[in-house]
Amino acid sequence: DSGVTQTPKHLITATGQRVTLRCSPRSGDLSVYWYQQSLDQGLQFLIQYYNGEERAKGNILERFSAQQFPDLHSELNLSSLELGDSALYFCASSPGTSGTDTQYFGPGTRLTVL
Amino acid sequence: EDQVTQSPEALRLQEGESSSLNCSYTVSGLRGLFWYRQDPGKGPEFLFTLYSAGEEKEKERLKATLTKKESFLHITAPKPEDSATYLCAVQAGYSTLTFGKGTMLLVSP
């Protein structure tokens, strides 16, 4: 158990809908990262927040957005969903912003878009 | 652009048959190389961080090594419970992690 929690575990929805994924980091960690993992693309970095502020952006679509709240939990919002958005979404956390900080991953949310 | 290539894509071993997984990388200014283990449908589990060429780290049957162009994950006398996908990731400059696509390891009893 990494100490990172994610809800829900599974999510099934239809094309065009909007969903929210939630992540609580390990106690004491200020950075939260979101990743998407699909069979053909592997693990792709989406976005990082540090202490409530956006820190780095990766291959995140404009239909996707995220935020980190004062209690440090984070939410990833996915809108206008397409079939290709079906994937595993992982959240990770680390103590700070140093690139050499170890990122600890949550159990993931499996999103299925029908 | 940072690139990470892992080989082989899949590896099947008999229990006790030692082998190595390869992670080759192209980055400008490596700050850290990370190895994770991932079981099907689960989140990646941290194994090792290597920071400089020549560094080695060990944990049970696993040993990770780093050169200037690649890293190896050596598995000695593997057991069926070592079956998983092993992911390599690099961090360069102030960028975030770039992952390889992983090596799927299956250890048969």
Side-chain angles (χ1 to χ4, degrees):
Chain A
D1 185 356
S2 67
V4 179
T5 61
Q6 290 186 248
T7 57
K9 193 173 177 63
H10 301 279
L11 202 48
I12 301 174
T13 188
T15 55
Q17 295 298 304
R18 173 189 168 95
V19 297
T20 298
L21 282 53
R22 182 187 168 106
C23 167
S24 292
R26 295 186 320 155
S27 177
D29 283 357
L30 299 179
S31 273
V32 169
Y33 310 78
W34 286 99
Y35 290 84
Q36 180 191 57
Q37 188 176 42
S38 57
L39 281 174
D40 56 340
Q41 291 292 326
L43 205 58
Q44 298 281 313
F45 167 70
L46 296 178
I47 197 164
Q48 176 198 1
Y49 278 81
Y50 173 74
N51 204 19
E53 301 288 327
E54 183 183 305
R55 188 77 178 191
K57 224 168 183 176
N59 300 318
I60 188 165
L61 300 172
E62 284 191 13
R63 301 183 284 107
F64 296 0
S65 64
Q67 53 184 327
Q68 186 179 27
F69 295 86
D71 67 352
L72 301 177
H73 91 272
S74 178
E75 293 181 355
L76 179 67
N77 301 295
L78 314 176
S79 61
S80 301
L81 286 167
E82 302 175 0
L83 295 177
D85 298 327
S86 295
L88 274 166
Y89 291 84
F90 290 104
C91 164
S93 74
S94 71
T97 58
S98 168
T100 53
D101 278 351
T102 297
Q103 293 182 28
Y104 293 91
F105 283 77
T109 293
R110 181 177 293 278
L111 174 66
T112 302
V113 182
L114 300 176
Chain B
E1 184 181 329
D2 300 340
Q3 288 193 333
V4 179
T5 304
Q6 291 188 245
S7 62
E9 289 185 13
L11 180 62
R12 186 167 188 157
L13 299 174
Q14 289 295 120
E15 185 172 1
E17 180 186 3
S18 302
S19 187
S20 296
L21 313 182
N22 178 263
C23 170
S24 62
Y25 60 89
T26 306
V27 299
S28 297
L30 179 74
R31 297 189 70 201
L33 184 141
F34 300 79
W35 281 98
Y36 287 84
R37 168 196 169 123
Q38 186 175 25
D39 292 301
K42 303 279 182 69
E45 175 190 340
F46 171 72
L47 293 173
F48 304 109
T49 308
L50 302 167
Y51 296 103
S52 57
E55 190 175 0
E56 299 182 352
K57 287 194 177 172
E58 286 188 69
K59 179 180 178 181
E60 297 181 358
R61 295 177 293 281
L62 300 177
K63 179 181 175 180
T65 61
L66 180 64
T67 72
K68 287 186 178 180
K69 292 184 178 180
E70 57 192 350
S71 177
F72 292 93
L73 185 66
H74 307 279
I75 304 177
T76 302
K79 298 182 178 182
E81 53 261 42
D82 295 321
S83 297
T85 294
Y86 291 85
L87 299 170
C88 168
V90 297
Q91 197 274 338
Y94 292 98
S95 68
T96 54
L97 292 181
T98 300
F99 279 84
K101 293 194 174 181
T103 293
M104 189 183 307
L105 174 66
L106 178 62
V107 181
S108 303

